[in-house]
Amino acid sequence: MSSEDVAAYLDGPFKEIGGWCNPFLWQAIEPLYEAVSAAGPAGPVAEIGVFHGKFFFGLVKTAGAEKDNFAIDVFDMQEFNLDGAGVGDKQAFIRARNLAGIDKDAVALYRTDSMAITGDDVARLRKRTGGFVLFSVDGCHLPEHTINDIKIAMELTRPHGLIFVDDYYNPNWPGVQEGVSKLYLTDAPRFVPLLFVANKLFLCNVSFHQRYLTAVSSFVAKHHPDTRIKPVKRFGYDTITLTPQPRTGRFLAKPGG
């Protein structure tokens, strides 16, 4: 992770790209990506439901992968946008990509309804990319779609990687929380809740859970002392809720952040 590149993006293009994303997410992403990098090889990133790419491009900057980053969206196929959230626009996405200074060859656009992604599609993506290290789920907010998209993310994310689920507590999209609850109350997935911050639930592989929880907790306590760290049990797992303070906090702990 290049803190300078991420900081330049968050302080510049991030503010001009349409979407709903809080830059204070990087208070957790920064230390967690360091832990991810220490735990296994680098790799590309993916997102289901990119809208204009605001969060996606931040992840691309964080991981630094120069190819095979996948933007998965229905784009103009709005008949599959069943909840009417964030009407995708391919041209707006491309303009935002250029604004973010990301090479067109670094990002592959996958125009599809995520509910139509098959096991063979997943296998082809894994073969091409080797799996993703960061995977954001921000597609249709209905329970069925949430469960489907998280399961796809779990199949495509490397064991040491992270999954982000958007709008987990958003009262406008209760289907996300319903979907997550159904998933963890009826199954025992290998990716489990790690933390919640700035509207996103972070998931990690159960094998790395304690390592990552310790890493992010100690880092935030040291470098972001104004951020509230609240231990919370989620579906039986130790997690934390982070509450940054926008007036006094910084996005990144390192120089330039």
Side-chain angles (χ1 to χ4, degrees), residues 1-7 10 22-38 55 58-59 61-63 134 162 164 194-195 197 202 212 215-224 227 242 249-257:
M1 171 178 169
S2 170
S3 294
E4 291 76 14
D5 286 347
V6 176
L10 295 178
N22 190 325
F24 283 95
L25 283 160
W26 269 265
Q27 288 192 352
I29 293 174
E30 181 180 17
L32 283 173
Y33 190 72
E34 288 185 359
V36 166
S37 298
F55 185 53
L59 295 183
K61 293 282 187 179
T62 298
L134 303 175
L162 298 171
F164 311 94
L194 177 65
L195 66 87
V197 60
F202 289 37
Y212 288 178
V216 69
S217 298
S218 59
F219 185 94
V220 172
K222 178 179 180 181
H223 295 283
H224 302 289
T227 294
L242 300 179
R250 297 186 299 168
F251 310 150
L252 300 172
K254 294 184 177 179

Side-chain angles (χ1 to χ4, degrees), residues 58-224:
L59 295 183
V60 173
K61 293 282 187 179
T62 298
E66 297 181 352
K67 64 177 183 177
D68 290 335
N69 299 291
F70 268 78
I72 305 168
D73 202 291
V74 298
F75 291 112
D76 61 303
M77 299 189 301
Q78 286 300 302
E79 65 270 25
F80 296 113
N81 185 10
L82 300 186
D83 63 354
V87 178
D89 184 327
K90 180 180 177 181
Q91 293 308 312
F93 179 86
I94 291 172
R95 288 193 296 270
R97 183 198 66 199
N98 295 337
L99 181 64
I102 293 174
D103 191 275
K104 64 181 179 65
D105 294 330
V107 176
L109 273 60
Y110 189 179
R111 176 178 171 268
T112 187
D113 171 18
S114 64
M115 295 294 275
I117 294 176
T118 67
D120 288 343
D121 295 329
V122 169
R124 283 191 289 269
L125 279 172
R126 283 197 65 89
K127 183 176 180 180
R128 171 172 170 173
T129 66
F132 301 101
V133 293
L134 303 175
F135 200 118
S136 171
V137 172
D138 191 13
C140 184
H141 295 67
L142 299 179
E144 299 84 355
H145 290 73
T146 299
I147 294 170
N148 175 75
D149 294 354
I150 292 175
K151 285 184 174 181
I152 289 172
M154 289 179 180
E155 289 300 317
L156 287 171
T157 301
R158 299 183 188 185
H160 63 293
L162 298 171
I163 296 171
F164 311 94
V165 182
D166 193 50
D167 287 320
Y168 178 59
Y169 282 135
N170 191 330
N172 296 303
W173 307 112
V176 176
Q177 190 177 67
E178 181 182 341
V180 170
S181 298
K182 285 183 176 179
L183 179 62
Y184 285 102
L185 292 174
T186 61
D187 199 356
R190 61 184 179 273
F191 279 80
V192 300
L194 177 65
L195 66 87
F196 177 85
V197 60
N199 205 39
K200 294 186 188 291
L201 179 69
F202 289 37
L203 311 177
C204 73
N205 191 294
V206 67
S207 297
F208 294 91
H209 181 268
Q210 190 56 54
R211 185 191 312 186
Y212 288 178
L213 189 63
T214 299
V216 69
S217 298
S218 59
F219 185 94
V220 172
K222 178 179 180 181
H223 295 283
H224 302 289

